[in-house]
Amino acid sequence: KHKELLARMQLAIRKAEPLLAGFKTRDHLPEGYEQYGVALTIMALEALDPKKYREKITHLTDYLICQQGTEGGWGYGPPYKPPEGGVRTEGSGSPKKKEIRYYDLSMSQYVMLGLWAAKHANMKIADDVWIDAIRWLVKGQDEAGQWKCCYTGGKSDPGGAVNMTMTTAGVAGLLLCKRNLSIEGWRQVSEEALPALEKGFKHAELH
């Protein structure tokens, strides 16, 4: 069944290739284009042919990096267009992060998966992108080891409710960031991230 599902997914991506190939430059991103779509496009292009679509993956990766909020997550707000020349670095830092009113863990997990696919396509992403994401995830976890979907100013939206789906996203996000960090980068946040991972896993075991 797994092989059959994978084959169907690959076929769907192939059929969508003409649409995906339409992203020629960052200027083709419509105003307010959600990061979900950008992240999924990166994943699809990386699965199709990362060498053939390297330029497109580069532009979309730069876009996602520039949507990261000052607290480290991703959410809703006016899109910030990357400067000419891109923003990916080899450790020298990312661009100034934008102010976000509402952070969204659901969106953030898609962005992190998109950036992971970009790394598979040999995009260089600075450690501080992952470090800031880890610190945002740690800050958003409650004492029981759970996460909510929406956050305002780094704190859970009172209207939101914790659930296993978002808690899984929080744990997976921490693991994914760890996987993409350099050894030195992980050293900077391991003392914060490991207890959060432990709490998240314990909560999952109990529920």
Side-chain angles (χ1 to χ4, degrees), residues 6-83:
L6 181 60
R8 289 183 179 181
M9 289 175 63
Q10 290 174 333
L11 178 60
I13 291 173
R14 288 289 176 192
K15 287 184 176 180
E17 185 169 5
L19 175 63
L20 297 170
F23 294 111
K24 295 181 180 179
T25 70
R26 61 179 61 88
D27 295 324
H28 282 77
L29 292 167
E31 192 74 11
Y33 187 44
E34 287 187 296
Q35 290 115 35
Y36 286 106
V38 178
L40 286 166
T41 302
I42 292 174
M43 288 185 250
L45 292 176
E46 189 274 329
L48 279 169
D49 192 330
K51 291 183 179 180
K52 178 180 178 181
Y53 294 113
R54 180 173 178 79
E55 182 180 357
K56 299 176 181 66
I57 293 172
T58 298
H59 294 325
L60 296 173
T61 301
D62 290 346
Y63 179 86
L64 287 184
I65 292 173
C66 282
Q67 307 314 306
Q68 189 174 27
T70 54
E71 303 219 10
W74 285 263
Y76 298 93
Y80 170 68
K81 289 187 177 182

Side-chain angles (χ1 to χ4, degrees), residues 35 63-69 72-76 100 102-105 107-109 111-112 115 129-130 133 136:
Q35 290 115 35
Y63 179 86
L64 287 184
I65 292 173
C66 282
Q67 307 314 306
Q68 189 174 27
W74 285 263
Y76 298 93
I100 291 178
Y102 294 107
Y103 287 88
D104 188 319
L105 178 52
M107 178 186 290
S108 296
Q109 70 172 331
V111 171
M112 288 185 278
L115 293 178
V129 173
W130 306 109
W136 175 72

Side-chain angles (χ1 to χ4, degrees), residues 119-206:
K119 286 271 287 188
H120 276 277
N122 294 316
M123 299 291 107
K124 295 181 176 67
I125 300 172
D127 270 358
D128 69 328
V129 173
W130 306 109
I131 289 171
D132 289 350
I134 284 176
R135 287 177 171 155
W136 175 72
L137 287 167
V138 171
K139 191 175 181 179
Q141 187 184 39
D142 68 15
E143 289 301 318
Q146 306 169 100
W147 277 271
K148 295 183 180 182
C149 180
C150 300
Y151 297 81
T152 304
K155 297 180 180 179
S156 296
D157 182 343
V162 294
N163 59 68
M164 201 61 224
T165 301
M166 289 298 99
T167 298
T168 301
V171 171
L174 289 172
L175 291 171
L176 193 151
C177 289
K178 177 183 182 297
R179 184 184 181 95
N180 286 288
L181 272 172
S182 66
I183 294 175
E184 180 56 36
W186 175 242
R187 284 175 182 163
Q188 293 181 45
V189 289
S190 60
E191 291 185 3
E192 304 167 54
L194 288 174
L197 279 168
E198 184 177 355
K199 284 198 300 183
F201 280 125
K202 283 186 176 179
H203 177 78
E205 288 174 4
L206 294 172

